Amino acid sequence: MISEKTIAPEIPAKIAMARPSFEQDRPLAQDIALGVSLLGDAVAAVLGLLLGYWIRFHSPVSHLGFAIAVRQEEVALEKYAGLIAIGAVFLIASFMYLRLYSVTHLLRFRRVSSIIVRGATFWLVAYLSINLALKFNPPISRIYVFISFFSCLICLLGWRWLFHRILGSSVFFATLQQSVLLVGWNEETGKLLNAILSDASHPYRVVGWVALDERGGEALPPKSLPRMGGPEVLESLIQQRVADMVVLADMNAKYEEVVQLSNWCERALVQFKVVPTYFQILVSGLQLETISGVPIMGVADLPLNRITNRTVKRLIDIFGACVGLFFGAPIMAVCAVLIYSESPGPIFFSQERVGRLGRRFKMVKLRSMLIGADKHDHLNQSTLRQDPRVLRIGGFMRKWNIDEVPQFWNVLMGDMSLVGPRPERTFHSEKLSNEIPHYNARYSCKPGITGWAQVNGLRGDTSLVERIRYDLYYLENWNLWLDIQIMFQTFVKRDNAY
């Protein structure tokens, strides 16, 4: 049991030194930084819209390539001022909806940039739609909206880059980072520590760890992480706010100990978190629910379990498959001639794969290997680098994903999606489901021509465990923007494609 008595009334010297003197000012500093970011975004949005207005109607290139002439009195700035104000408010509202103004985003420029691009894209589509529906007076120029989309992105990203550089200075950065104290240790906290240490702009920093007792097993944190003592100093550390957040990782802790630790954190206004080691899968979908008034925690429905999301994804799949087959037909014809000239025989290769909910289907590809090469598939889960079975034209097709073009037909037939976890062969699926925890969870959605794991280089002879982790991330975090991002990256990222 954790002692009720504060045995260590003072923080050890090495701990006190690790705690910045401005710890108490962190919430105020964070609020000020968020306020400045919001105000700066509003100013940048207005400037972007004004720049778009100038380019469209008053710049030297205002009439180049624009077939629609306008009368200057219809596009006077005083008449467009209201539309510009509405556009700026709507753009900022889009960012708010996407939770841009969060403390966890302040120090992460890449994540901020991604949200700004997504919000601006949504703004572009919605603003044009509202314009058609409401008939603005004066009618707003669609060319102006498209130009403003890019000018706003330039202004917003430029401002945010400058703001990020200012926040990246040592004083501001340390003030905005939240400190974390780990209680206990397990594999999940090891992943958390590695993620924080590998990201120079991470919003959290780990100040050390406390061992409740020797129950934690053989797993220990790296020696570089300070051990701040045992349970006898824990209450003192919390009362003196050595960290903004306490994370409990010891699932062997007794109920009374967890309650006591939570109460200490509550009294000291320190955040209390628990690493959910009981849920080693889909943890970002955990939600608190009630059944007959009794609170329970479990995995909520995944985004693609909702019929509306699946319908939208299916419509995009049908459209994308039709476009892919139309533009891919000439490419397949050329490749067919080259395949046959190097290795006479069938041009297409079909193989049984496992799809959504374990349903089996025949996946079609352009043949990239010698005839009969599939008889050796059981020896390796993936094609090896410099595999002697791969044709010369096959190596080129696999590098550029051309061999996957016929799978647009599988997408059109509903067996696959444009984006999703890659489908696996039946015998490999049965084997891997017994070897890799949570492997079968990837079958909750349709397999894809490309996927989140593939664009992150996890293809070929790479770690299957990591590949599954990326597949699960996709399932938990699916949205249309993520699908668009993956499809775009498929054309520019070919790591481990062989």
Side-chain angles (χ1 to χ4, degrees), residues 437-468:
H438 327 308
Y439 180 85
N440 282 347
R442 63 205 299 272
Y443 294 132
S444 63
C445 75
K446 291 181 181 179
I449 296 179
T450 184
W452 182 238
Q454 284 64 46
V455 298
N456 282 280
L458 293 168
R459 54 195 298 179
D461 192 23
T462 54
S463 170
L464 291 175
V465 175
E466 279 296 291
R467 198 178 305 180
I468 301 306

Side-chain angles (χ1 to χ4, degrees), residues 101-328:
Y101 305 106
S102 167
V103 172
T104 56
H105 297 330
L106 274 175
L107 302 174
R108 315 187 88 167
F109 179 70
R110 289 182 60 183
R111 184 170 296 182
V112 166
S113 300
S114 174
I115 295 176
I116 287 176
V117 173
R118 288 164 56 192
T121 304
F122 173 76
W123 171 86
L124 173 66
V125 176
Y127 202 46
L128 288 174
S129 302
I130 292 174
N131 178 45
L132 291 175
L134 300 182
K135 303 295 182 182
F136 287 133
N137 186 25
I140 194 166
S141 166
R142 283 168 292 182
I143 297 175
Y144 159 72
V145 175
F146 276 103
I147 294 175
S148 295
F149 168 75
F150 292 103
S151 61
C152 283
L153 281 181
I154 292 172
C155 291
L156 285 162
L157 294 177
W159 140 250
R160 279 296 188 146
W161 178 84
L162 177 61
F163 188 53
H164 178 74
R165 298 286 293 184
I166 296 173
L167 293 182
S169 63
S170 57
V171 175
F172 287 109
F173 188 81
T175 305
L176 295 172
Q177 267 192 321
Q178 297 189 71
S179 53
V180 177
L181 175 66
L182 302 176
V183 178
W185 185 263
N186 58 28
E187 182 180 351
E188 296 304 308
T189 47
K191 294 178 181 178
L192 173 63
L193 179 63
N194 289 334
I196 292 175
L197 294 178
S198 62
D199 185 353
S201 61
H202 204 284
Y204 298 98
R205 60 183 175 87
V206 179
V207 296
W209 76 292
V210 172
L212 287 182
D213 54 27
E214 302 302 325
R215 298 172 305 196
E218 298 180 358
L220 290 173
K223 294 181 179 179
S224 58
L225 183 65
R227 175 169 177 169
M228 296 186 169
E232 69 279 358
V233 301
L234 188 53
E235 183 180 8
S236 177
L237 295 176
I238 294 173
Q239 287 179 347
Q240 300 183 55
R241 295 180 61 94
V242 71
D244 302 299
M245 179 187 300
V246 170
V247 176
L248 175 63
D250 188 350
M251 286 295 99
N252 294 316
K254 297 178 181 178
Y255 172 78
E256 296 82 3
E257 294 175 326
V258 177
V259 172
Q260 188 178 65
L261 182 58
S262 174
N263 290 336
W264 286 344
C265 291
E266 182 181 357
R267 287 197 294 266
L269 300 179
V270 171
Q271 299 179 62
F272 175 63
K273 309 288 183 181
V274 177
V275 177
T277 51
Y278 294 122
F279 297 91
Q280 293 294 319
I281 175 176
L282 306 177
V283 292
S284 69
L286 287 180
Q287 285 190 1
L288 183 66
E289 305 173 22
T290 60
I291 297 180
S292 299
V294 178
I296 61 171
M297 178 170 283
V299 178
D301 281 344
L302 297 173
L304 287 175
N305 286 345
R306 301 168 194 155
I307 186 64
T308 52
N309 289 341
R310 292 208 308 271
T311 301
V312 171
K313 187 173 174 65
R314 179 60 184 152
L315 292 175
I316 294 175
D317 284 343
I318 293 173
F319 174 77
C322 293
V323 173
L325 289 172
F326 178 79
F327 287 102

Side-chain angles (χ1 to χ4, degrees), residues 364-410:
V364 185
K365 302 176 68 173
L366 285 171
R367 182 167 63 89
S368 60
M369 293 186 175
L370 297 169
I371 296 176
D374 58 312
K375 295 179 181 179
H376 302 283
D377 272 359
H378 64 284
L379 299 177
N380 296 289
Q381 192 274 333
S382 300
T383 303
L384 301 177
R385 193 181 297 272
Q386 297 180 341
D387 196 312
R389 300 174 298 166
V390 178
L391 303 173
R392 290 192 301 274
I393 180 61
F396 175 81
M397 291 191 303
R398 294 170 76 94
K399 180 177 180 180
W400 293 91
N401 300 312
I402 297 175
D403 59 321
E404 315 283 3
V405 172
Q407 289 167 37
F408 285 117
W409 177 255
N410 290 116

